[in-house]
Amino acid sequence: MAAPQQQKLKVNGPVAVTANRLADGAVVWRTAAGGWSTALGDAAVVTTAPEAIALLEGAHKRDTDAVGAYVAPVILGDNGAVLPGNLRERIRVNGVTFELPASTLPAA
Amino acid sequence: MYVYDEFDRAFLAERVADFRDQVERRLSGALTEDEFKPLRLMNGVYLQLHAYMLRVAIPYGTLSSDQLRRMAHVARVYDRGYGHFTTRQNIQFNWIKLEDLPQAMADLGEVGVHGIQTSGNCIRNVTTDQWAGATPEEFDDPRIWAEILRQYSTFHPEFTYLPRKFKIAITAAPKDRAATKVHDVGLRLHRNEDGELGFEVLVGGGLGRTPFVGKSIRPFLPVRDILSYIEAIMRVYNQFGRRDNIYKARIKILVHEIGAEAFAEAVEAEWANIRDGALQLTDEIIDDIRARFLYPDFAAVEDQPAEMTAALEDPRFATWYRNSVHRHKVPGYSIVTISLKPVGAPPGDATADQMDVVADLADAYAFHEIRVGHEQNLCLPNVAQKDLPELWRQLDAAGLATPNVNHVSDIIACPGLDYCALANARAIPVAQEISKRFADLDRSRSIGRLHVNISGCINACGHHHVGHIGILGVEKNGQEFYQITLGGRADEHAQLGTLLGPAVSYDQVPGLIEDIVDAYLELRASPKELFVDTVHRLGVEPFKERVYATH
C-alpha cells in the first residue's frame, strides 16, 4: 500500500495533519497555532479539503520540526475528544498492540 | 569468523563521521528532508510509524559474541531493550532517535557491523545458510563466496543506483536453508562430475506483489568466474530493468517479460566480454579470503559422550535435543538452534539481556560464534556435545529453549502495522495468537514440520508466499483481513502457495489455522507425511471444504 503521504487527498469527515518529529520520530499533530504537539487532543481538526490543504502547506513550510506530514482521519468523541480515525492512527497514537519484550530474564 | 583488517575499520569510522555530520546538518536545517532521506537510507535508517528504525546487516548471518554483545548495548542504551532479527539476516532497532543514531553507529562500527546497503536500490546483505561451515552436507563454506560478493558489491559505483534493490543468497548444501530460489540471484554451490567447485545460477526469484521462483540460467559456473558472471547479470539488469514503474523494476519482472532463455543469452553475451578480465578470481585471492575465516580448534572428542546420553534421561532435555540439536561435521560436536519463538512472544525478538546471555554462552560453549537464520532464530554452530546439557539449562533459564523449531509456532512474521509505515495489517499479534493456540508442545510435535509465514502487506517481508501456511494481511474498508495460502515452501523444492479462499477477519485467523491443521491431521496419509506434502498430494480443495464449512 502507498504510504498516506503518497495518496490522493480525500476529506470525507474530520481530519488532522500528522507527522513524525524530526529529532526522534515521535508522532506529532499540527495545532491551530501552527505548532506541533504530541497530544492528538491539541490537533487542529478540519472538515474540508481546502482547510486540510492549508494545514498541510503550513506543516511543510519548516521541515526542521517534523517530517512526512499527511492528512489523517480523526473521530470527534461525544465530549469533544479527538480520537484517531483508523487502525493505523490508533497504533500511532497508542503504540504497538502487544506487550513489548521486557528487558528482564525469566526466573531461573 | 571473518577477521576484518585495518582498511575495514578505517572505512567504517569515516562512514560514521560522515553520517554524524549529515545528521547535524539535517537537525540544523542545512539539509532538507529530501536531501537527507537518501543519505539516511544508505545507512539503513528508516522512518517508521512511531520512530526511526535502524537496520543493521549481519553479513551471511555470522556474528561474534562481541558483536552480539554490542547489539545488546545498542538495544539497551539507545532503544527499548530489544532487537528484532529479520528474514534477511539483519537486526532492526525500532525506537532509535535520529540524534542518537551517529553514536549508536559508532558503537556498532567499533565491532565491525553497520547498516550500509541494508536499504536503497543496491546489492543488499548477501545471505546464506546459518549452518555454514558446520553442516556435514555442504560442498564448501558458502561464507567464503558471500564475503567475496560482499567486498565486490559494497559501494560498487556501477550498482549503487539500480532500478530496484537486489538480493543474493547462497547455499552450499543440497538442503537449502537460505531460500535461494526466491532471491534476485540464488547461487547453489556444488561439484560437477570432474569434482570442480561451481555454482548453479538462478535469477528472477522473489516475493512481493509479483512472486516468482527463480529460473536456472546456468547449471555450472566455475567459482573463479562468480564475480564476472554476477557483473554480467547486473549489467543486463541495469540496462534493461524498468525504471518507469517501481512495481515492475525488480529483475524478476525483466526475466519474466523477456524469458529466462533470452535473459541468459544476454548475460552470456555480456559475460563473454569480461570473463577473462580483472574480475576473474585467482587462487591467491580466494585463498586470502579463505584464510581470513578463522575456524574453531575442534578437539578430538567422543561422539555421543556419556554426559549427553545421561542427560537424555531428562524428558525436557531430550525433547529440546531432538528438536533443536543438529548433526555437525565434526564428531562430538553439534549445531544448536536457539528458538526466538517462545509461545506468545513476538517472533524474532530478543531482549538485550537475552542477547548478552547468548553471547556469554557462545563464549563458554561455542567458540564465540553465533548465527542468524532467515527463519528469525539464532544458532550456535559449534557446540561440544558434552556441553549440551549445561547449555540447555542456561538457555532454558533465559527463555531461549522452546523446543518448537520448525513447528507450527515457529512462525516467521514481519513487523506489520504495529511498526511499519507500509503495512496494511498487523502480523505480530496474529503470530502471537496462533502460537498460543499451539502452546501444547506435544500437540505441535505430533503435527510435525509446519511453517507459518505472515506478512502485513503485499511486500511480503514475512515470506507468506513460501509458507506451508501463508498469511497475508490486507485492508478492506478500514478493516484488517487476511488471505490464506497453502503449500508454499522456501527450500530446494521452492514453490508458491495456493490461495485457499476468501480473506477472513483478524479475529477469525487463529481458529482458521487450527481448522487447517485439524484437516491435515485427518487427511494425511500417515504421521510421516508432512503438512506441505499432504497439500501437494491433495491440493487445497479438501482443506477449503473443511475449513470454510465452519467459518
Side-chain angles (χ1 to χ4, degrees), chain B residues 113-310:
Chain B
V113 289
H114 55 76
I116 298 166
Q117 292 190 196
T118 60
S119 176
N121 295 336
C122 56
I123 299 176
R124 303 286 188 89
N125 187 24
V126 178
T127 57
T128 190
D129 186 353
Q130 67 270 29
W131 295 2
T135 175
E137 303 164 18
E138 69 188 13
F139 293 98
D140 190 18
D141 187 336
R143 295 173 302 162
I144 309 298
W145 308 99
E147 174 59 23
I148 288 171
L149 283 166
R150 188 192 71 82
Q151 292 190 15
Y152 157 79
S153 63
T154 301
F155 294 133
H156 192 307
E158 198 173 333
F159 307 129
T160 301
Y161 296 97
L162 293 167
R164 277 292 275 141
K165 57 188 170 183
F166 202 91
K167 300 175 181 176
I168 300 174
I170 308 174
T171 179
K175 175 79 185 152
D176 183 358
R177 282 173 287 270
T180 60
K181 289 191 171 180
V182 288
H183 277 73
D184 296 290
V185 165
L187 299 171
R188 189 177 69 80
L189 194 60
H190 63 290
R191 290 190 186 279
N192 65 9
E193 290 173 353
D194 297 328
E196 296 166 326
L197 204 57
F199 296 97
E200 180 186 8
V201 181
L202 299 104
V203 296
L207 301 173
R209 70 181 56 226
T210 316
F212 288 110
V213 173
K215 282 93 177 169
S216 179
I217 60 166
R218 193 166 236 282
F220 188 83
L221 176 76
V223 288
R224 66 175 177 278
D225 294 322
I226 185 61
L227 292 188
S228 59
Y229 202 78
I230 290 290
E231 181 136 324
I233 291 171
M234 302 306 295
R235 285 184 174 180
V236 170
Y237 172 50
N238 219 356
Q239 183 173 359
F240 298 109
R242 290 180 62 168
R243 293 173 188 268
D244 61 320
N245 183 335
I246 190 174
Y247 302 122
K248 296 188 176 182
R250 295 288 290 269
I251 195 173
K252 62 189 174 184
I253 303 297
L254 175 64
V255 173
H256 176 68
E257 288 185 349
I258 70 172
E261 200 173 319
F263 184 86
E265 283 173 11
V267 170
E268 293 286 332
E270 179 65 32
W271 187 46
N273 297 323
I274 60 174
R275 60 181 296 179
D276 297 321
L279 288 174
Q280 190 173 73
L281 293 169
T282 62
D283 289 345
E284 188 183 3
I285 291 172
I286 296 169
D287 291 345
D288 181 56
I289 298 288
R290 197 180 288 281
R292 287 178 177 276
F293 280 88
L294 302 182
Y295 290 90
D297 188 13
F298 293 113
V301 293
E302 186 189 1
D303 209 33
Q304 305 284 307
E307 297 96 323
M308 190 192 82
T309 51

Side-chain angles (χ1 to χ4, degrees), chain B residues 497-513:
Chain B
T498 302
L499 189 63
L500 183 65
V504 297
S505 69
Y506 176 88
D507 291 334
Q508 289 177 305
V509 175
L512 189 92
I513 302 305

Side-chain angles (χ1 to χ4, degrees), chain B residues 15 19 22-23 36-48 51-57 79 86 90-98 101 104-105 108 113-122 124-125 155:
Chain B
R15 180 76 176 198
F19 189 67
Q22 290 157 3
V23 169
F36 178 67
K37 185 176 176 181
L39 300 174
R40 68 167 161 78
L41 287 174
M42 284 179 182
N43 288 285
V45 179
Y46 289 74
L47 182 55
Q48 299 282 64
Y52 291 94
M53 179 269 280
L54 173 63
R55 180 182 293 157
V56 177
D79 206 272
T86 78
N90 299 315
I91 185 170
Q92 294 181 175
F93 300 101
N94 285 300
W95 303 96
I96 291 194
K97 296 175 181 173
L98 181 61
L101 271 161
M105 286 180 181
L108 291 167
V113 289
H114 55 76
I116 298 166
Q117 292 190 196
T118 60
S119 176
N121 295 336
C122 56
R124 303 286 188 89
N125 187 24
F155 294 133

Side-chain angles (χ1 to χ4, degrees), chain A residues 85-107:
Chain A
N86 60 26
L87 177 61
R88 176 191 170 94
E89 298 310 325
R90 279 202 295 280
I91 291 172
R92 290 181 76 240
V93 169
N94 300 322
V96 301
T97 60
F98 51 88
E99 200 172 327
L100 291 181
S103 188
T104 53
L105 295 177

